[in-house]
Amino acid sequence: MASGVEELLDMLFDMIDEAKNAPLASDKCVIERDRALDLIDDIRSQFPMELTEARKMMARRAEMEAEAKRKAEAIVRSAEERAKQLLAADSIALQARQRANDMMRQAEERSRELKRSANEYCEDALRRTEEAVAEAYNEIKQSRSRFRAAAAAISTAPPGGQTPGGRAVYDAASEQD
């Protein structure tokens, strides 16, 4: 006896295919009724087993699909979470780089400002020193000029220490004693 529905259907097909044509009709044939009915009964009896197996296979397939879907969703969630972490890390790194750049720019600006201020201070101090030195130099020149004038007046002054205008003449020699 045949073991599966397919084998039984093949046997039924072969029986019909090999059957003799009915007289005066080429599209009709003559088959053994009892044998054909027995094959159909065998097919019917096999259907519950085949259907049960097919249902089990379908259930296993559905379980496998569900498990694969759960795994795929878990992988997608994991990948999305990892992408978020990487994006957050990149964002933090970008913010840190921007902050470092800002700090460097501010430090450079502060350095330029300090240099400018130091240069201005030095320039001002040198200018004031130059003015003080120039003023002292002018005083020295004036003192030297007065000294020369006084010295010349003494050398041309009559004895008694008075100039022709009646002014007293400075005598450096008298102070040294």
Side-chain angles (χ1 to χ4, degrees), residues 2-13 43 46-47 50:
S3 63
V5 172
E6 281 187 44
E7 199 173 317
L8 291 170
L9 286 172
D10 287 341
M11 289 172 63
L12 182 60
F13 180 83
I43 290 171
Q46 291 287 324
F47 263 138
E50 294 283 332

PDB file of all heavy atoms in Angstrom, residues 2-13 43 46-47 50:
ATOM      1  N   ALA A   2       0.410   2.289  -0.609  1.00  0.00           N
ATOM      2  CA  ALA A   2       1.167   3.534  -0.747  1.00  0.00           C
ATOM      3  C   ALA A   2       1.241   4.239   0.601  1.00  0.00           C
ATOM      4  O   ALA A   2       0.353   4.130   1.423  1.00  0.00           O
ATOM      5  CB  ALA A   2       0.495   4.427  -1.774  1.00  0.00           C
ATOM      6  N   SER A   3       2.329   5.013   0.785  1.00  0.00           N
ATOM      7  CA  SER A   3       2.552   5.620   2.090  1.00  0.00           C
ATOM      8  C   SER A   3       2.068   7.060   2.178  1.00  0.00           C
ATOM      9  O   SER A   3       1.704   7.506   3.246  1.00  0.00           O
ATOM     10  CB  SER A   3       4.038   5.576   2.428  1.00  0.00           C
ATOM     11  OG  SER A   3       4.760   6.339   1.481  1.00  0.00           O
ATOM     12  N   GLY A   4       2.057   7.808   1.086  1.00  0.00           N
ATOM     13  CA  GLY A   4       1.700   9.212   1.181  1.00  0.00           C
ATOM     14  C   GLY A   4       0.632   9.601   0.196  1.00  0.00           C
ATOM     15  O   GLY A   4       0.314   8.883  -0.756  1.00  0.00           O
ATOM     16  N   VAL A   5       0.042  10.760   0.433  1.00  0.00           N
ATOM     17  CA  VAL A   5      -1.023  11.275  -0.417  1.00  0.00           C
ATOM     18  C   VAL A   5      -0.511  11.476  -1.827  1.00  0.00           C
ATOM     19  O   VAL A   5      -1.210  11.145  -2.796  1.00  0.00           O
ATOM     20  CB  VAL A   5      -1.586  12.589   0.172  1.00  0.00           C
ATOM     21  CG1 VAL A   5      -2.566  13.243  -0.788  1.00  0.00           C
ATOM     22  CG2 VAL A   5      -2.259  12.325   1.498  1.00  0.00           C
ATOM     23  N   GLU A   6       0.670  11.981  -1.964  1.00  0.00           N
ATOM     24  CA  GLU A   6       1.210  12.218  -3.313  1.00  0.00           C
ATOM     25  C   GLU A   6       1.324  10.918  -4.105  1.00  0.00           C
ATOM     26  O   GLU A   6       0.971  10.859  -5.278  1.00  0.00           O
ATOM     27  CB  GLU A   6       2.581  12.904  -3.214  1.00  0.00           C
ATOM     28  CG  GLU A   6       2.502  14.372  -2.944  1.00  0.00           C
ATOM     29  CD  GLU A   6       3.879  15.031  -3.031  1.00  0.00           C
ATOM     30  OE1 GLU A   6       4.630  14.715  -3.967  1.00  0.00           O
ATOM     31  OE2 GLU A   6       4.163  15.860  -2.151  1.00  0.00           O
ATOM     32  N   GLU A   7       1.792   9.893  -3.433  1.00  0.00           N
ATOM     33  CA  GLU A   7       1.944   8.601  -4.108  1.00  0.00           C
ATOM     34  C   GLU A   7       0.574   8.054  -4.520  1.00  0.00           C
ATOM     35  O   GLU A   7       0.404   7.535  -5.641  1.00  0.00           O
ATOM     36  CB  GLU A   7       2.651   7.632  -3.150  1.00  0.00           C
ATOM     37  CG  GLU A   7       3.271   6.453  -3.853  1.00  0.00           C
ATOM     38  CD  GLU A   7       4.093   5.617  -2.890  1.00  0.00           C
ATOM     39  OE1 GLU A   7       4.837   6.197  -2.069  1.00  0.00           O
ATOM     40  OE2 GLU A   7       3.960   4.390  -2.968  1.00  0.00           O
ATOM     41  N   LEU A   8      -0.415   8.213  -3.644  1.00  0.00           N
ATOM     42  CA  LEU A   8      -1.766   7.755  -3.961  1.00  0.00           C
ATOM     43  C   LEU A   8      -2.355   8.552  -5.127  1.00  0.00           C
ATOM     44  O   LEU A   8      -3.012   7.985  -6.019  1.00  0.00           O
ATOM     45  CB  LEU A   8      -2.678   7.869  -2.736  1.00  0.00           C
ATOM     46  CG  LEU A   8      -2.373   6.896  -1.585  1.00  0.00           C
ATOM     47  CD1 LEU A   8      -3.176   7.279  -0.345  1.00  0.00           C
ATOM     48  CD2 LEU A   8      -2.683   5.463  -2.008  1.00  0.00           C
ATOM     49  N   LEU A   9      -2.128   9.871  -5.140  1.00  0.00           N
ATOM     50  CA  LEU A   9      -2.612  10.699  -6.252  1.00  0.00           C
ATOM     51  C   LEU A   9      -1.920  10.318  -7.549  1.00  0.00           C
ATOM     52  O   LEU A   9      -2.560  10.292  -8.618  1.00  0.00           O
ATOM     53  CB  LEU A   9      -2.402  12.185  -5.945  1.00  0.00           C
ATOM     54  CG  LEU A   9      -3.361  12.789  -4.910  1.00  0.00           C
ATOM     55  CD1 LEU A   9      -2.923  14.207  -4.553  1.00  0.00           C
ATOM     56  CD2 LEU A   9      -4.787  12.782  -5.431  1.00  0.00           C
ATOM     57  N   ASP A  10      -0.636   9.981  -7.457  1.00  0.00           N
ATOM     58  CA  ASP A  10       0.082   9.529  -8.666  1.00  0.00           C
ATOM     59  C   ASP A  10      -0.528   8.229  -9.193  1.00  0.00           C
ATOM     60  O   ASP A  10      -0.688   8.048 -10.413  1.00  0.00           O
ATOM     61  CB  ASP A  10       1.571   9.314  -8.368  1.00  0.00           C
ATOM     62  CG  ASP A  10       2.328  10.627  -8.200  1.00  0.00           C
ATOM     63  OD1 ASP A  10       1.818  11.672  -8.661  1.00  0.00           O
ATOM     64  OD2 ASP A  10       3.446  10.615  -7.608  1.00  0.00           O
ATOM     65  N   MET A  11      -0.871   7.351  -8.275  1.00  0.00           N
ATOM     66  CA  MET A  11      -1.478   6.069  -8.699  1.00  0.00           C
ATOM     67  C   MET A  11      -2.835   6.317  -9.367  1.00  0.00           C
ATOM     68  O   MET A  11      -3.149   5.708 -10.403  1.00  0.00           O
ATOM     69  CB  MET A  11      -1.638   5.135  -7.498  1.00  0.00           C
ATOM     70  CG  MET A  11      -0.312   4.584  -6.983  1.00  0.00           C
ATOM     71  SD  MET A  11      -0.461   3.681  -5.431  1.00  0.00           S
ATOM     72  CE  MET A  11      -1.484   2.324  -5.867  1.00  0.00           C
ATOM     73  N   LEU A  12      -3.649   7.207  -8.803  1.00  0.00           N
ATOM     74  CA  LEU A  12      -4.951   7.538  -9.373  1.00  0.00           C
ATOM     75  C   LEU A  12      -4.769   8.163 -10.749  1.00  0.00           C
ATOM     76  O   LEU A  12      -5.498   7.833 -11.694  1.00  0.00           O
ATOM     77  CB  LEU A  12      -5.737   8.466  -8.432  1.00  0.00           C
ATOM     78  CG  LEU A  12      -7.141   8.862  -8.881  1.00  0.00           C
ATOM     79  CD1 LEU A  12      -8.040   7.620  -9.056  1.00  0.00           C
ATOM     80  CD2 LEU A  12      -7.763   9.816  -7.889  1.00  0.00           C
ATOM     81  N   PHE A  13      -3.783   9.073 -10.866  1.00  0.00           N
ATOM     82  CA  PHE A  13      -3.509   9.707 -12.151  1.00  0.00           C
ATOM     83  C   PHE A  13      -3.121   8.661 -13.196  1.00  0.00           C
ATOM     84  O   PHE A  13      -3.612   8.686 -14.331  1.00  0.00           O
ATOM     85  CB  PHE A  13      -2.385  10.742 -11.994  1.00  0.00           C
ATOM     86  CG  PHE A  13      -2.030  11.441 -13.266  1.00  0.00           C
ATOM     87  CD1 PHE A  13      -2.764  12.528 -13.711  1.00  0.00           C
ATOM     88  CD2 PHE A  13      -0.980  10.986 -14.066  1.00  0.00           C
ATOM     89  CE1 PHE A  13      -2.453  13.163 -14.887  1.00  0.00           C
ATOM     90  CE2 PHE A  13      -0.670  11.604 -15.255  1.00  0.00           C
ATOM     91  CZ  PHE A  13      -1.398  12.705 -15.665  1.00  0.00           C
ATOM     92  N   ILE A  43      -6.647   8.131   0.020  1.00  0.00           N
ATOM     93  CA  ILE A  43      -6.220   9.547   0.019  1.00  0.00           C
ATOM     94  C   ILE A  43      -6.908  10.292   1.148  1.00  0.00           C
ATOM     95  O   ILE A  43      -6.270  11.050   1.900  1.00  0.00           O
ATOM     96  CB  ILE A  43      -6.516  10.202  -1.344  1.00  0.00           C
ATOM     97  CG1 ILE A  43      -5.584   9.622  -2.421  1.00  0.00           C
ATOM     98  CG2 ILE A  43      -6.378  11.723  -1.266  1.00  0.00           C
ATOM     99  CD1 ILE A  43      -5.943  10.046  -3.838  1.00  0.00           C
ATOM    100  N   GLN A  46      -5.424   9.452   4.424  1.00  0.00           N
ATOM    101  CA  GLN A  46      -4.081  10.027   4.583  1.00  0.00           C
ATOM    102  C   GLN A  46      -4.135  11.533   4.834  1.00  0.00           C
ATOM    103  O   GLN A  46      -3.223  12.075   5.454  1.00  0.00           O
ATOM    104  CB  GLN A  46      -3.245   9.769   3.324  1.00  0.00           C
ATOM    105  CG  GLN A  46      -2.863   8.330   3.100  1.00  0.00           C
ATOM    106  CD  GLN A  46      -1.790   7.890   4.079  1.00  0.00           C
ATOM    107  OE1 GLN A  46      -0.911   8.653   4.433  1.00  0.00           O
ATOM    108  NE2 GLN A  46      -1.905   6.663   4.536  1.00  0.00           N
ATOM    109  N   PHE A  47      -5.170  12.189   4.386  1.00  0.00           N
ATOM    110  CA  PHE A  47      -5.239  13.648   4.533  1.00  0.00           C
ATOM    111  C   PHE A  47      -5.097  14.125   5.975  1.00  0.00           C
ATOM    112  O   PHE A  47      -4.340  15.045   6.240  1.00  0.00           O
ATOM    113  CB  PHE A  47      -6.528  14.197   3.927  1.00  0.00           C
ATOM    114  CG  PHE A  47      -6.362  14.725   2.530  1.00  0.00           C
ATOM    115  CD1 PHE A  47      -7.317  14.453   1.560  1.00  0.00           C
ATOM    116  CD2 PHE A  47      -5.277  15.512   2.185  1.00  0.00           C
ATOM    117  CE1 PHE A  47      -7.176  14.934   0.275  1.00  0.00           C
ATOM    118  CE2 PHE A  47      -5.148  15.995   0.902  1.00  0.00           C
ATOM    119  CZ  PHE A  47      -6.090  15.709  -0.058  1.00  0.00           C
ATOM    120  N   GLU A  50      -1.456  13.951   6.852  1.00  0.00           N
ATOM    121  CA  GLU A  50      -0.698  14.915   6.047  1.00  0.00           C
ATOM    122  C   GLU A  50      -1.010  16.340   6.493  1.00  0.00           C
ATOM    123  O   GLU A  50      -0.110  17.169   6.604  1.00  0.00           O
ATOM    124  CB  GLU A  50      -1.040  14.750   4.559  1.00  0.00           C
ATOM    125  CG  GLU A  50      -0.600  13.448   3.942  1.00  0.00           C
ATOM    126  CD  GLU A  50       0.888  13.419   3.650  1.00  0.00           C
ATOM    127  OE1 GLU A  50       1.475  14.490   3.409  1.00  0.00           O
ATOM    128  OE2 GLU A  50       1.458  12.323   3.671  1.00  0.00           O
TER     129      GLU A  50
END
